[in-house]
Amino acid sequence: MSWSRDGSGGPRRGYHHGNLREALIEAALNLIAEKGAGGFSFADAARSAGVSAAAPYRHFRDRDALLADVAERGFTLFAGRLEAAWDDGKPDPFSAFERTGQAYLAFARDEPSHYSAMFEAGIDRNATPELRKASDQAFSVLRRAADTLCALAPEGERPPALMVALHVWSLAHGVAALFTRNAGGSRALPMTPEELLEAGVLVYLQGLGLPVHQR
């Protein structure tokens, strides 16, 4: 980035940023880490990126549009992590499902700023078509995993796969929020968050009558 000057070396006339959009995304991620998703303004993001308060409007309508972009990128990363963990249900669906839950918690721990933009910033997932698509891609991994597990039950006794996906998502999100995202203020656990999630999913699936792999 550089300041342009007149030929005489006089006052600054304009600001040129090599990649303003990416600089604003990075600034937002840093500010979320420092202040939380709701703790900074659009002007703060501009200041952190080293540009004028008016410059971000070249790329984003407002702060929520900036956060929507951060959330979209987060969901894209999240979907990739879940997809890799599920690995088409290999070597068996329950083990793969367990890995997917671990990947959920790992993402919340490893990418706290993205996770906050995705789930804690109050951004409607329909804010942009891109955000909705990325969100749907992430959830589709859980849905396909639930479809595979439910198919293991005898026909006529299979629970609705969408219900299973939503319930397991809620369980993973709750464990992440209480014991991964908010570790400092949460109740002490006699086990790891991953073990807690695994036990909860095991009890849930067994309660539905689904065959599960037990170690």
Side-chain angles (χ1 to χ4, degrees):
M1 58 188 177
S2 63
W3 294 103
S4 64
R5 299 174 180 271
D6 60 26
S8 64
R12 296 188 291 247
R13 296 191 303 177
Y15 182 81
H16 300 279
H17 201 293
N19 195 333
L20 177 56
R21 189 184 193 93
E22 294 303 317
L24 290 167
I25 293 292
E26 187 66 25
L29 288 168
N30 291 335
L31 287 166
I32 292 170
E34 180 184 348
K35 302 181 178 183
F40 68 96
S41 67
F42 208 26
D44 290 333
R47 190 178 306 110
S48 181
V51 298
S52 70
Y57 291 98
R58 300 173 192 173
H59 295 284
F60 300 103
R61 180 187 67 253
D62 53 23
R63 175 182 168 279
D64 282 355
L66 171 59
L67 284 172
D69 200 322
V70 175
E72 176 206 333
R73 294 174 185 225
F75 274 115
T76 299
L77 290 172
F78 190 43
R81 297 275 192 95
L82 296 180
E83 194 74 67
W86 171 241
D87 193 23
D88 292 325
K90 297 179 287 191
D92 66 82
F94 183 74
S95 295
F97 205 49
E98 179 185 333
R99 286 198 311 269
T100 306
Q102 293 172 348
Y104 196 114
L105 299 186
F107 183 86
R109 183 183 295 113
D110 298 341
E111 301 288 345
S113 293
H114 276 119
Y115 195 88
S116 183
M118 292 155 60
F119 296 116
E120 299 167 356
I123 301 299
D124 184 348
R125 78 181 190 94
N126 295 310
T128 68
E130 295 81 8
L131 175 55
R132 177 166 184 164
K133 180 180 178 181
S135 172
D136 287 346
Q137 286 176 335
F139 182 71
S140 73
V141 181
L142 294 179
R143 175 61 193 268
R144 282 185 279 115
D147 283 334
T148 303
L149 285 170
C150 290
L152 299 176
E155 192 171 355
E157 299 179 17
R158 294 170 184 168
L162 177 58
M163 178 194 74
V164 172
L166 289 170
H167 284 171
V168 172
W169 179 25
S170 299
L171 182 57
H173 191 74
V175 172
L178 288 172
F179 303 110
T180 300
R181 298 279 299 135
N182 189 32
S186 63
R187 185 180 298 273
L189 279 177
M191 61 188 74
T192 67
E194 288 76 12
E195 290 169 338
L196 178 65
L197 178 59
E198 179 187 352
V201 170
L202 177 63
V203 169
Y204 173 71
L205 295 180
Q206 286 180 327
L208 291 175
L210 294 175
V212 296
H213 170 71
Q214 300 185 54
R215 290 173 180 170

